Amino acid sequence: MAYEDETKTAILARMLAASDPTLDQRQGSPTFDLLSPAAMELAQAYAELDNALRWGFVNADGTGAYGAYLDLRAGELGLTRKAAVKAVGSVTFTGPNGTVIPIGTQVSTGNVYFVTTAAGTTASGTVTVTAEALVGSAAGNVTIGAINLVAGPLVGIVSVTNAATFNGGADTESDADLTARYFERARKPATSGNANQYRQWALEIAGISDAKVFPLWNGLLTVKVALLDTDKRAPVSGKVAEVAAYIETVRPIGATVSIVAATEFAINVTGTFTLAAGYTLTQARAQILAGLTAYLKTLAFTDATVRYTQIANVVLNTAAVDDYSGLTVNGGAVNVVIAAGSVAIAGTVT
């Protein structure tokens, strides 16, 4: 950088050269020993100046500003790091009729905790109430049946489960994601309610990872914005409403704006799989689903074509599968094209 040559040796040499030449300047002399600590401190100060340059700018390769330094840099463009978002869903309690489930009742998966956001009373042995994760995090996006523990005074009286997945949870915006938004704001001029500006408005809401804007989608002065959450799936309705409410406060007067969740399009895989030694069909199915999910996330709002060959690669790269035959994707052996505003998600593996 700019100050790499400002070492303790170089600084000390200049300080000695500026000293009275009649004084003893040999190592161990009073002059040398008194100037050496100052030279070391100045060298450290120059090193910190180098860091100010290194961390004060955002580089295209992802290096440079990070953490609090990135927050400061992004703040110059009016960007704020998005906070973590709590996952939301519903839980069902089973127990004696008339058992009151108060607001704030804690339940968990054993690792992730949730609290009820509405009260309920069991009737016919059950009651279903809304709940949210105790803290904001993507870890709150749990699968069906993952919540099975009750905390507090209801232990031993009722049991709990979740009949549907919890969704909408998101981690605090990462440096990589904030950097991407920084470059988008800097490189894609947004003004007067153009498509870039609608996209940037949507991305300012925590829990939204991508947005596709459709100008004039239903005639003059109409705009539609389709949204994806941090899992590259359709956001929960509350998050869509939050984006819509925010855009209403900043959009140009006269525009008719529709804010919608991306339409999910399931990709179903069927085939005959030869299992590797030591693996079960359940393990193979889970591994294929995980690989399929990871592949489809790379396509969300960037590539409309789900490629048959890529899904075949997912199957072959699965540790539990040695070989396959009769592989079909949504009933065929061809690519699947996803409509604009839709997102491909992993469906079933048969």
Side-chain angles (χ1 to χ4, degrees), residues 180-193:
R181 282 205 299 136
Y182 174 88
F183 281 128
E184 178 153 341
R185 177 68 62 89
R187 296 171 177 174
K188 295 183 178 180
T191 182
S192 304

Side-chain angles (χ1 to χ4, degrees), residues 274-348:
T274 303
L275 298 180
Y279 287 96
T280 66
L281 184 60
T282 299
Q283 291 172 318
R285 182 180 290 110
Q287 290 179 12
I288 294 172
L289 278 174
L292 180 61
T293 298
Y295 164 59
L296 295 179
K297 282 184 177 181
T298 67
L299 305 181
F301 279 7
T302 60
D303 190 341
T305 303
V306 179
R307 289 170 174 78
Y308 175 86
T309 53
Q310 290 288 358
I311 294 179
N313 287 337
V314 167
V315 174
L316 282 179
N317 288 330
T318 299
V321 176
D322 266 347
D323 205 354
Y324 71 87
S325 63
L327 183 69
T328 64
V329 178
N330 287 18
V334 295
N335 296 341
V336 178
V337 178
I338 308 301
S342 297
V343 60
I345 64 168
T348 59

